[in-house]
C-alpha cells in the first residue's frame, strides 16, 4: 500500500499530497508530456530518451534473473535478500502474517468480516472490534449516542474522546509552533487570537495543525495581499480535499482579519477590482503595458470597477482587431480606421441555412461564397451585429481612450471624430394593469413573505438592486444575554447605506439611511419574522 506524502511540487512549487516516488503533484503529473515505452507499449511519463523505457520497465528489466531459492525455477528475483521470485515472495509473506510473525497488508476481521489491518498478532481482529469486545457499546456521556466506548474511565466514544484531548493538544502545538519565516509566525498568531478555547474540537485542532505545516513550508509575503493569498491557495482535486480546504479557509480568514484591521482591502472590493482587470489579459501582449497605464488613470478618476471592466472589454477588443492589420500603437490609428472598425460592429454576414455568423470585412464588402459550417454556396446575407446603444458605448469609450492618449502625447490627433448619437430615452416597465395586481399580492395573507417584502421595497421605496443587497436590519448589541435583540417588526425600519460616490455618479443618494415603514402598512407588515444574524442582508431574510 502506497503511503501519501506531503510534498512541495518540484514543478509548480505548491504543497500537495503525493503517492508517487517523485515530489510532484497530481496536476503537474497529468500535464507532463508522455511517450510510448518500447517494452510495454504504453504511454508513460519520464520515458528515457536513451533506452526508450518507462521507469516501471527499467526496474522490471533490471531485476536479476536466476534460480529461486525456494522453487528452484529460473525467474526474475523480487526479494534479493532471500532470493525469492514474485510468487514465492507472496507465499512466504502470507505465511508469516498468518503465523503472527509480521503484519503485512489487510486481513479479514474475524468479528465484522471486513478487510482491515489486524491490531493483534495472535488473532485477525480490527481495532474497532477489539475496543467493542473490551469496552462494549454504551451511551456516550457527552453526545448521548450509543457507540463503541474508547475511553472506559470517562465513558467516551472516539469522537468525543478526541474532542476532549483537542484543547490541550492545540495549546501545546500553539506554544511550541515555530517557522523559519517570521512574518508567517505573526500571521499564525493573528489567526490563533480568534480561537474560542471553550469550544475547541478535533476538527479545529486538525485545521490549525494543517495550516501550521503549510506556514512552515511556504513563505507568505509581508504585507500580505489578496493576490498573494489567491496564488497560495492549494488546488482542490476530486479526492483528498480535507487538507486543501483547511488551508484555503485559513488563508481566506487571515485576509478578512487583515481587512478588518485596515491593513488590506475588503474581499468584495478585491473581487470587483480583479474582475475589472480580467479583460486586460485578452488584449495583445504588446499593448498591455499601455492599457495598464490607462487603467491606473481610470482608478485615479474614481471610476467604478464595473465601468473599468466595460472600458477594458471595449479597448481590448479594439486592439485585438487592430493587430490583425499591423496597427500596434495609438499614433498609427487614423479616423478611417475607426470608421472601418465601427462597421464591423454594425454588420456581420449570416448564413441563411445554418445561421453561422462571419465577421464583416470593411475592406472587402462582398459576402463569402462558401459557408464553412454547412458548405452551402451564396447563402450569406448582411445582418446587424450589435444594437445602436452598444455601438454608442464602444465609440464613447474609444473616444475617452484616445483623448487620454492625446493628453499624454501618445498620438497627434484623436481619431474618433464623430460620436454616435443617442436614441430618444425610453423607460421599460410593467403595464399599468400589472402594478395593482402586484400591490394586491403584497398585502395578501397567503403571499410569500420574502417576495412580498422585496416587492414592497421596490415599488413603494424604489430600492435599487445594490440597496437590496446591502440593506441591514437594525442591530442592538445587548450587554446581557437575557435581553432579546429587536426583531424587524419591533424596529419597523431598515438601514439602507449610501453607495460610495464615483466619477459617473456623485449623487448623495437618499436624505437618510434610516428607512421607516408607514403606519398604514402595519396591518400586514407585522408578521412573525425569524431574526437573522446581525448585518445580514435583506436578500437573506428568513420569514
Amino acid at each position: 500500500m502506497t503511503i501519501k506524502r506531503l510534498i512541495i511540487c518540484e514543478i509548480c512549487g505548491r504543497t500537495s499530497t503525493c503517492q508517487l516516488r517523485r515530489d510532484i503533484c497530481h496536476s503537474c503529473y497529468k500535464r507532463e508530456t508522455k511517450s510510448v515505452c518500447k517494452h510495454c507499449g504504453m504511454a508513460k511519463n519520464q520515458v528515457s530518451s536513451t533506452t526508450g523505457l518507462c521507469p516501471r520497465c527499467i526496474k522490471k528489466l533490471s531485476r536479476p534473473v536466476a534460480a529461486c531459492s525456494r522453487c528452484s525455477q529460473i525467474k526474475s528475483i523480487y526479494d534479493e535478500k532471500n532470493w525469492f521470485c514474485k510468487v514465492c515472495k507472496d507465499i512466504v509473506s502470507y505465511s508469516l502474517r498468518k503465523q503472527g510473525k509480521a503484519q503485512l497488508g489487510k486481513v479479514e476481521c474475524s468479528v465484522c468480516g471486513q478487510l482491515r489491518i489486524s491490531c493483534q498478532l495472535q488473532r485477525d481482529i480490527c481495532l474497532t472490534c477489539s475496543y467493542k469486545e473490551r469496552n462494549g457499546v454504551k451511551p456516550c456521556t457527552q453526545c448521548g449516542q450509543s457507540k463503541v466506548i474508547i475511553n472506559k474511565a470517562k465513558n467516551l466514544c472516539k469522537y468525543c474522546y478526541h474532542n476532549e484531548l483537542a484543547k490541550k493538544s492545540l495549546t501545546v502545538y500553539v506554544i511550541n509552533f515555530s517557522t523559519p519565516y517570521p512574518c508567517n509566525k505573526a500571521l499564525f498568531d493573528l489567526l490563533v487570537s480568534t480561537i474560542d478555547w471553550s469550544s475547541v474540537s478535533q476538527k479545529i485542532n486538525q485545521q490549525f495543525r494543517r495550516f501550521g505545516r503549510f506556514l512552515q513550508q511556504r513563505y507568505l509575503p509581508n504585507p500580505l495581499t489578496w493576490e498573494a493569498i489567491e496564488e497560495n491557495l492549494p488546488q482542490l482535486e476530486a479526492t483528498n480535499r480535507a487538507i486543501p480546504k483547511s488551508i484555503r479557509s485559513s488563508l481566506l480568514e487571515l485576509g478578512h482579519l487583515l481587512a478588518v484591521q485596515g491593513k488590506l482591502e475588503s474581499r468584495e472590493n478585491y473581487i470587483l477590482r480583479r474582475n475589472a482587470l480580467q479583460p486586460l489579459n485578452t488584449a495583445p501582449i504588446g499593448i498591455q503595458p499601455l492599457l495598464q497605464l490607462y487603467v491606473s488613470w481610470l482608478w485615479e478618476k474614481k471610476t467604478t470597477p464595473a465601468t473599468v471592466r466595460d472600458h477594458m472589454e471595449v479597448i481590448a477588443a479594439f486592439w485585438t482587431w487592430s493587430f490583425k492589420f499591423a496597427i500596434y500603437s495609438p499614433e498609427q490609428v487614423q479616423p478611417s480606421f475607426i470608421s472601418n472598425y465601427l462597421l464591423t460592429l454594425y454588420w456581420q454576414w449570416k448564413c441563411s441555412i445554418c445561421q453561422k455568423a462571419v465577421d464583416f470585412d470593411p475592406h472587402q464588402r462582398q459576402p463569402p461564397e462558401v459557408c464553412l459550417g454547412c458548405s452551402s454556396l451564396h447563402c450569406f446575407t448582411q445582418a446587424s451585429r450589435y444594437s445602436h446603444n452598444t455601438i454608442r458605448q464602444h465609440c464613447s469609450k474609444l473616444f475617452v481612450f484616445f483623448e487620454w492618449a492625446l493628453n499624454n502625447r501618445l498620438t497627434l490627433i484623436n481619431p474618433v471624430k464623430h460620436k454616435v448619437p443617442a436614441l430618444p430615452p425610453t423607460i421599460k416597465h410593467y403595464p399599468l394593469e400589472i402594478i395593482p395586481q402586484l400591490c394586491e399580492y403584497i398585502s395578501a395573507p397567503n403571499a410569500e413573505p420574502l417576495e412580498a417584502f422585496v416587492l414592497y421595497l421596490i415599488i413603494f421605496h424604489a430600492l435599487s438592486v445594490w440597496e437590496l443587497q446591502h440593506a441591514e436590519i437594525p442591530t442592538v448589541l445587548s450587554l446581557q444575554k437575557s435581553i432579546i435583540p429587536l426583531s424587524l417588526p419591533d424596529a419597523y425600519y431598515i438601514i439602507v447605506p449610501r453607495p460610495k460616490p464615483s466619477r459617473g455618479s456623485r449623487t448623495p443618494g437618499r436624505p437618510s439611511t434610516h428607512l421607516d415603514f408607514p403606519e398604514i402598512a402595519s396591518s400586514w407588515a407585522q408578521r412573525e419574522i425569524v431574526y437573522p444574524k446581525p448585518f445580514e442582508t435583506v436578500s437573506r431574510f428568513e420569514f
Side-chain angles (χ1 to χ4, degrees):
M1 180 178 62
T2 307
I3 300 175
K4 290 184 179 181
R5 302 178 295 118
L6 187 64
I7 54 97
I8 298 178
C9 180
E10 60 188 17
I11 304 297
C12 63
R14 293 185 175 182
T15 304
S16 177
T17 55
C18 176
Q19 289 182 315
L20 304 173
R21 297 185 179 180
R22 297 169 54 200
D23 290 344
I24 182 172
C25 64
H26 182 66
S27 300
C28 295
Y29 181 77
K30 289 176 63 177
R31 287 195 293 265
E32 275 191 341
T33 305
K34 295 185 178 182
S35 303
V36 178
C37 175
K38 293 182 179 180
H39 184 262
C40 62
M42 300 177 65
K44 295 292 187 69
N45 296 56
Q46 286 190 312
V47 175
S48 176
S49 58
T50 56
T51 61
L53 301 176
C54 64
R56 184 172 179 268
C57 291
I58 291 176
K59 182 179 179 180
K60 181 178 179 180
L61 296 177
S62 63
R63 291 192 178 98
V65 179
C68 175
S69 61
R70 185 176 179 274
C71 63
S72 301
Q73 296 184 14
I74 305 298
K75 294 183 178 180
S76 297
I77 302 301
Y78 278 72
D79 186 358
E80 296 183 12
K81 180 180 179 180
N82 299 313
W83 213 253
F84 290 157
C85 64
K86 187 178 186 303
V87 176
C88 294
K89 178 190 175 184
D90 294 340
I91 293 175
V92 172
S93 299
Y94 181 79
S95 301
L96 291 175
R97 181 184 57 79
K98 295 298 290 182
Q99 294 172 8
K101 296 182 179 179
Q103 292 292 325
L104 300 176
K106 295 182 179 180
V107 297
E108 184 178 349
C109 178
S110 59
V111 178
C112 63
Q114 301 292 328
L115 288 177
R116 297 288 186 267
I117 297 177
S118 179
C119 64
Q120 298 180 13
L121 296 176
Q122 297 81 10
R123 183 184 175 191
D124 292 339
I125 183 172
C126 62
L127 185 61
T128 303
C129 293
S130 177
Y131 275 117
K132 189 175 181 180
E133 284 187 352
R134 287 183 293 169
N135 302 337
V137 178
K138 302 176 184 178
C140 176
T141 55
Q142 285 194 5
C143 64
Q145 300 181 12
S146 296
K147 294 182 179 180
V148 178
I149 300 301
I150 301 298
N151 189 320
K152 199 171 183 179
K154 296 183 179 181
N155 201 35
L156 297 176
C157 63
K158 181 179 179 181
Y159 179 79
C160 296
Y161 180 61
H162 288 167
N163 289 340
E164 184 81 11
L165 302 177
K167 180 178 180 181
K168 182 178 179 181
S169 175
L170 183 57
T171 304
V172 174
Y173 181 78
V174 168
I175 294 174
N176 299 328
F177 177 79
S178 63
T179 174
Y181 312 111
C183 57
N184 287 13
K185 181 64 168 61
L187 294 175
F188 185 78
D189 294 339
L190 176 62
L191 194 61
V192 168
S193 63
T194 63
I195 298 177
D196 183 8
W197 292 100
S198 61
S199 60
V200 173
S201 62
Q202 179 65 8
K203 184 178 180 180
I204 298 176
N205 182 24
Q206 290 179 348
Q207 179 176 354
F208 274 87
R209 287 177 177 272
R210 291 164 180 168
F211 188 60
R213 288 194 296 269
F214 174 81
L215 293 179
Q216 290 172 341
Q217 299 171 0
R218 183 71 63 87
Y219 169 76
L220 296 180
N222 187 22
L224 189 64
T225 60
W226 285 114
E227 288 81 0
I229 292 177
E230 293 280 351
E231 183 180 352
N232 287 277
L233 287 177
Q235 187 176 0
L236 287 177
E237 302 291 346
T239 57
N240 302 323
R241 299 160 64 94
I243 296 178
K245 286 173 69 174
S246 299
I247 297 174
R248 290 172 67 93
S249 62
S250 299
L251 282 172
L252 293 176
E253 187 175 355
L254 267 180
H256 290 296
L257 290 174
L258 293 174
V260 171
Q261 295 180 356
K263 299 179 181 179
L264 197 63
E265 63 178 337
S266 65
R267 178 73 175 173
E268 181 182 0
N269 292 339
Y270 163 71
I271 292 177
L272 291 174
R273 181 170 57 85
R274 183 187 62 183
N275 294 341
L277 299 180
Q278 281 181 351
L280 187 63
N281 300 325
T282 63
I285 298 178
I287 203 65
Q288 286 186 9
L290 180 63
L291 297 186
Q292 289 175 355
L293 295 176
Y294 179 61
V295 169
S296 301
W297 178 76
L298 291 176
W299 292 130
E300 292 176 0
K301 295 297 181 180
K302 304 298 182 183
T303 310
T304 60
T307 306
V308 173
R309 182 181 176 86
D310 293 339
H311 276 266
M312 287 298 99
E313 288 178 347
V314 171
I315 304 302
F318 170 77
W319 283 111
T320 301
W321 185 81
S322 301
F323 268 56
K324 298 178 182 179
F325 302 96
I327 303 295
Y328 304 121
S329 59
E331 64 268 12
Q332 296 179 271
V333 180
Q334 299 299 323
S336 60
F337 190 77
I338 296 292
S339 300
N340 291 335
Y341 177 69
L342 293 179
L343 284 176
T344 63
L345 302 180
Y346 271 110
W347 305 108
Q348 64 180 353
W349 300 112
K350 199 168 186 179
C351 178
S352 58
I353 298 176
C354 66
Q355 305 300 318
K356 180 179 177 59
V358 179
D359 292 341
F360 181 83
D361 188 358
H363 302 94
Q364 186 179 0
R365 304 189 181 186
Q366 298 297 326
E369 295 183 356
V370 182
C371 176
L372 299 179
C374 59
S375 302
S376 302
L377 297 175
H378 307 291
C379 58
F380 281 100
T381 57
Q382 190 172 350
S384 60
R385 184 181 180 185
Y386 293 132
S387 65
H388 183 84
N389 286 333
T390 302
I391 299 172
R392 179 173 174 268
Q393 293 175 6
H394 277 251
C395 187
S396 62
K397 289 174 174 57
L398 287 174
F399 178 84
V400 174
F401 172 76
F402 283 103
E403 192 69 20
W404 168 81
L406 179 63
N407 294 334
N408 288 273
R409 300 181 180 180
L410 300 176
T411 182
L412 297 177
I413 60 170
N414 188 338
V416 185
K417 295 296 183 180
H418 304 286
K419 293 185 178 181
V420 179
L423 295 176
T426 57
I427 299 177
K428 294 183 179 180
H429 58 83
Y430 282 113
L432 297 179
E433 298 81 11
I434 303 295
I435 303 299
Q437 299 179 16
L438 295 176
C439 296
E440 292 176 0
Y441 176 78
I442 292 176
S443 58
N446 59 345
E448 180 68 26
L450 179 60
E451 294 178 356
F453 186 61
V454 173
L455 276 176
Y456 165 74
L457 294 176
I458 294 174
I459 295 177
F460 292 96
H461 295 280
L463 260 68
S464 63
V465 176
W466 186 92
E467 290 175 329
L468 287 173
Q469 291 175 340
H470 294 81
E472 300 173 356
I473 291 178
T475 304
V476 178
L477 300 178
S478 58
L479 299 179
Q480 299 180 3
K481 295 182 179 180
S482 59
I483 300 178
I484 302 176
L486 289 176
S487 63
L488 185 57
D490 296 332
Y492 210 59
Y493 73 93
I494 61 173
I495 299 174
V496 182
R498 292 190 179 95
K500 294 182 180 180
S502 63
R503 186 168 178 264
S505 177
R506 292 186 288 269
T507 175
R510 299 176 182 273
S512 174
T513 59
H514 195 283
L515 183 61
D516 293 304
F517 302 143
E519 292 295 333
I520 194 174
S522 60
S523 59
W524 61 268
Q526 295 285 354
R527 299 177 180 176
E528 184 178 356
I529 302 175
V530 178
Y531 190 84
K533 295 180 180 179
F535 308 105
E536 196 165 11
T537 58
V538 172
S539 60
R540 295 178 62 189
F541 283 169
E542 296 180 1
F543 291 81

